[in-house]
Amino acid sequence: MRMPNSGDRRWRAPVVAIAAVSAVLLVSPASAVTPPTDDAGASTELNRLPDEAASVVEVLLADREELDELVATGVDLDHHVEQSEQGIVVHAVVTSTEAAALRARGYRLGETLLRPSDSADRVEEREATIAAHVAENRAFAAALQTSETSDVKIIRADYYTSGTNQILSVEAKWAQGQTSTSTLTVVRDSGPGTELGSGGSQTISRFVDAGVYLYHRGASTVTTRPDRIRITSPTGGVAVAQVKEWLPIPADNPEGPGYQKDFVTSYLTPTELYTRIHQLAAEFPDLAEIVELPYKTNGYRRKAQVVLGSTNANRVAVDSLAWGHEGGNGISVELVNPGAASRPLSVSVTGKDIRVSLATNASGALTSTAAQVAAALNANAGSLVRAYTYRGDAGAGVVAAAAKTVLTDNLKAPASVSRDPHPVYAIRIGKVRDGSKTGVLAYAQEHAREWVPPLVAVETAERLLRNYGHDGRTKQLLNNLDIWIAPSVNPDGGHYSFYDYNSQRKNMTNHCPLTDAADALGRNSWGVDNNRNYTEYSLFDGYSGASSSCTSGTYAGPSELSEPEDKNVDWLAQHKNIKFSMNLHSSGNYFMWSPGAYATPGRISAPRPTLAEESFFWGASSQILTAIKRQRNMAVTPARTGPISDVLYSAAGNSGDMLWYKYGIYAWNFEVGTSFQPEWDEAHQETMEFSNGLVEMMRVARDFDKDQQRPKSGLSVTESATPGMVDVTFTVSEPAAVFYTVDGSAPTYASTLYASAGIREGGETLTLPAGTKIHWFSVDAAGNVENNYRADGTGKNFLKGSAVLPTS
């Protein structure tokens, strides 16, 4: 079992109290580790058939107990749990076969919310957008050639002020922008009637989205308002334009006038996401760098495979030894009836073609069983393939003849998507990036099919870097924080979701044994749920909400941190200056934090944050959610805000719990929007609003770092229903922990910690004998102690009070 370690980086001292609670959890239900079985002893895990597309479907449940039972089936659940007087509605990602299995078990299914055709429409929409940009570029270049005018065109030249800063923003299009990475130089005058060049110069860089050049752009501070600008392209083209006044955002908006945003125009694949952050780091070398994380993924790659036969007993599964792209693709297997009696089973190999001549009896009937054919293939073609009977079957069925069948890895991504183990990249942003500043981590696409969260990550990186030069609040963030943004921690699954199977949740690693679904027919069910493979309160500790089945949507993997994607997040969290994190997911419009797991039956939760810690989570969340709402007045509701296991369901082994319990990081979780792959207009709005929230979390981190205000606390005493007793509560000026004694001793961090009254409630009420002497002190989340009290028992300036009713 994972418990908070002695190196917990949070300020709080009452680890003993948490450990005491944790000790109760050492005995856990076996059903949390081993998939539960029905009365006949069969596993309750659902099975996804090959090449079946999945839909998002409502499941109508009576109560939380039935929700826990549904989670235990291993069903692939969207992040949506809605409670009403009639019960609970959750969203499941299921194929038609899985939906039928749920109905057979008595579950009620409601509306279908997202169909495979919807995902196909999103891909088509993305490709159409990219094609339109390409066509626009070609038309622009062609028009310039036919008109014999300049090959560069100024689109906008906008002057505005931000505080005391004067800024010039320029956008221009260059005919060679698709193929050349060159910047463009803008020359300014210093006002009406002055010479071009008298106001200095600035450079603007390419804006490329999804591999397509859109235009050059950039903003720079100026010392005087220019009237005209001139751009001379590297190929000699010249363009001149008037400068206009521009105030796109009201001066009283929190973002400030001239704040630049809206840097995404379509969904981006992991390859495109990595290209984007590499371009940003190259453009802003003084503010950003690319960090290749230490663990490469297992790769967007598979063995070439085929399953021959029609029933479990006579099926033979054949896998190439080489990866498909390294020679496995193109191997063929042919099962031949020799057309003569009493012939032996034999195998011949010519190049990559394998020919199996099946055995016959005296009457000429075929007699070779699946087990015999598999053994013969391994003995005679073992340098090319591995053969086995179907999912542990004895293979006693007679194999029928089959025409030549070519093995394939079934991967459909273009050659531009690497098939090798993939590096995972983060962009590190900040003026000082040596670990001395407060660290903030944002990471996305643990779940492959969630296409909007990576856009939030990239949009935020763009905002931070492109506003640094002229926006004072952004400059404060980058001057005082060390920001890590990993837009796709699961690139293999992300590519598979874009090109092969839109509903892919997990990574692509096939952990299934040959006796299970390791064959070609199981390929859309393979993979580990990266958000169930972490170290704290996991399936392996006996917690609910993850599966040991290699085909489950919540498969936790063979062991904690077995997956390179998860090892990378763990590596990031080990940076001791990181104090805040945001795990970007979709969908459901949730905003959550730990605890994220509980054991069943009994709903035994991972340790809850202290009252002070939870107060800080709530207070910071209000600030962040207000920023999200600013985009289009869409609110994340109170019912969808709070600890994961309170507002959603148990998610054993999730990353937020690891970051909080193991590393002491204030770890939040966004669930962006209402769908994995919404129409682009909706996806764009979600990107803008949740990027607002992510930037605001960085402001929370900056304020935390600069917090030197000591908390203040007090006692409130009211009448008790018990004779001779009074009810006592503590009040605090900000989220802060209160440690107290009632025996006359000086309070320390080992004293009793004032606790919560219950889940999602305020502070507890202490019922004490009237006249009890109470000593206490408070300490906030930043470590500021009230009155600068020395809490080791030697300090004298703790607060003192009595459990006495105030006189009227």
Side-chain angles (χ1 to χ4, degrees), residues 503-522:
S503 297
Q504 180 73 8
R505 171 185 172 98
K506 304 180 286 181
N507 68 10
M508 285 182 62
T509 305
N510 179 6
H511 285 294
C512 290
L514 299 185
T515 54
D516 202 331
D519 54 83
L521 302 185

Side-chain angles (χ1 to χ4, degrees), residues 33-47:
V33 180
T34 304
T37 58
D38 57 26
D39 293 339
S43 171
T44 63
E45 297 283 352
L46 301 180
N47 288 309

Side-chain angles (χ1 to χ4, degrees), residues 30-280:
S31 60
V33 180
T34 304
T37 58
D38 57 26
D39 293 339
S43 171
T44 63
E45 297 283 352
L46 301 180
N47 288 309
R48 181 165 292 176
L49 297 182
D51 295 329
E52 260 196 313
S55 300
V56 180
V57 179
E58 290 180 333
V59 184
L60 314 176
L61 306 169
D63 50 32
R64 281 275 171 178
E65 182 177 352
E66 192 172 10
L67 172 59
D68 289 340
E69 292 171 357
L70 178 65
V71 170
T73 68
V75 68
D76 186 354
L77 290 179
D78 184 2
H79 310 114
H80 177 98
V81 176
E82 184 175 358
Q83 187 116 24
S84 69
E85 292 181 0
Q86 288 72 41
I88 297 174
V89 179
V90 300
H91 295 171
V93 184
V94 291
T95 64
S96 57
T97 300
E98 291 169 326
L102 287 174
R103 289 191 183 95
R105 296 177 189 185
Y107 289 104
R108 295 178 298 145
L109 304 190
E111 293 184 22
T112 298
L113 306 173
L114 181 72
R115 293 173 171 80
S117 59
D118 297 325
S119 294
D121 289 345
R122 299 296 80 73
V123 174
E124 184 177 336
E125 183 180 45
R126 163 189 142 85
E127 297 304 321
T129 300
I130 293 171
H133 291 323
V134 172
E136 183 181 342
N137 285 341
R138 289 173 178 165
F140 175 72
L144 292 178
Q145 289 175 355
T146 56
S147 64
E148 298 182 354
T149 59
S150 171
D151 66 350
V152 63
K153 178 182 179 181
I154 297 173
I155 303 170
R156 299 186 64 90
D158 298 309
Y159 168 85
Y160 56 91
T161 60
S162 178
T164 59
N165 291 328
Q166 302 179 75
I167 298 127
L168 178 67
S169 172
V170 180
E171 298 174 4
K173 195 157 191 175
W174 179 36
Q176 308 303 317
Q178 181 65 44
T179 55
S180 174
T181 60
S182 298
T183 59
L184 297 178
T185 301
V186 180
V187 174
R188 309 181 296 259
D189 68 11
S190 53
T194 61
E195 293 292 325
L196 283 165
S198 63
S201 64
Q202 64 194 76
T203 59
I204 57 177
S205 57
R206 298 162 76 232
F207 175 30
V208 178
D209 196 42
V212 179
Y213 168 71
L214 299 177
Y215 46 85
H216 278 66
R217 66 180 174 187
S220 178
T221 55
V222 296
T223 56
T224 185
R225 186 205 186 285
D227 181 58
R228 293 180 306 147
I229 62 168
R230 181 182 66 214
I231 296 176
T232 302
S233 73
T235 46
V238 177
V240 177
Q242 292 289 128
V243 175
K244 298 180 179 180
E245 292 277 356
W246 182 52
L247 189 62
I249 301 175
D252 60 353
N253 188 287
E255 291 172 340
Y259 187 85
Q260 296 184 47
K261 59 182 181 180
D262 199 353
F263 297 97
V264 295
T265 62
S266 68
Y267 286 120
L268 298 173
T269 69
T271 292
E272 293 162 349
L273 293 165
Y274 291 158
T275 297
R276 177 71 77 87
I277 63 173
H278 275 81
Q279 291 169 343
L280 277 173

Side-chain angles (χ1 to χ4, degrees), residues 714-720 724-729 742 766-774 776 800-808:
L715 278 183
S716 175
V717 183
T718 58
E719 290 185 11
S720 171
M725 310 290 280
V726 291
D727 289 341
V728 176
T729 57
V742 293
L766 307 176
T767 300
L768 301 174
T772 299
K773 300 296 183 184
I774 306 171
W776 78 93
K800 305 176 181 67
S802 297
V804 176
L805 289 171
T807 57
S808 56

Side-chain angles (χ1 to χ4, degrees), residues 220-441:
S220 178
T221 55
V222 296
T223 56
T224 185
R225 186 205 186 285
D227 181 58
R228 293 180 306 147
I229 62 168
R230 181 182 66 214
I231 296 176
T232 302
S233 73
T235 46
V238 177
V240 177
Q242 292 289 128
V243 175
K244 298 180 179 180
E245 292 277 356
W246 182 52
L247 189 62
I249 301 175
D252 60 353
N253 188 287
E255 291 172 340
Y259 187 85
Q260 296 184 47
K261 59 182 181 180
D262 199 353
F263 297 97
V264 295
T265 62
S266 68
Y267 286 120
L268 298 173
T269 69
T271 292
E272 293 162 349
L273 293 165
Y274 291 158
T275 297
R276 177 71 77 87
I277 63 173
H278 275 81
Q279 291 169 343
L280 277 173
E283 185 176 348
F284 298 96
D286 293 338
L287 296 173
E289 62 187 285
I290 293 298
V291 178
E292 180 177 336
L293 305 188
Y295 301 96
K296 290 185 177 182
T297 70
N298 293 321
Y300 175 81
R301 59 180 181 174
R302 285 190 169 160
K303 302 297 178 69
Q305 296 179 298
V306 71
V307 174
L308 304 169
S310 58
T311 68
N312 290 1
N314 73 1
R315 278 177 169 162
V316 179
V318 184
D319 300 350
S320 64
L321 296 186
W323 296 105
H325 68 290
E326 293 178 344
N329 290 334
I331 294 173
S332 67
V333 179
E334 183 180 10
L335 305 180
V336 178
N337 185 335
S342 303
R343 301 304 297 267
L345 174 65
S346 64
V347 176
S348 61
V349 180
T350 305
K352 296 174 71 171
D353 297 326
I354 303 171
R355 187 175 189 273
V356 180
S357 181
L358 300 170
T360 59
N361 60 18
S363 63
L366 297 176
T367 61
S368 296
T369 65
Q372 291 168 341
V373 170
L377 283 167
N378 290 331
N380 297 281
S383 61
L384 288 177
V385 299
R386 174 179 60 180
Y388 46 99
T389 59
Y390 185 71
R391 302 191 179 182
D393 193 274
V398 173
V399 174
K404 179 188 288 189
T405 304
V406 178
L407 278 66
T408 175
D409 61 12
N410 281 294
L411 297 178
K412 302 176 181 65
S416 58
V417 175
S418 171
R419 265 64 172 175
D420 296 324
H422 209 298
V424 179
Y425 297 105
I427 185 169
R428 190 176 187 181
I429 298 172
K431 190 65 177 175
V432 178
R433 304 183 299 278
D434 60 4
S436 62
K437 301 291 185 179
T438 295
V440 179
L441 169 64

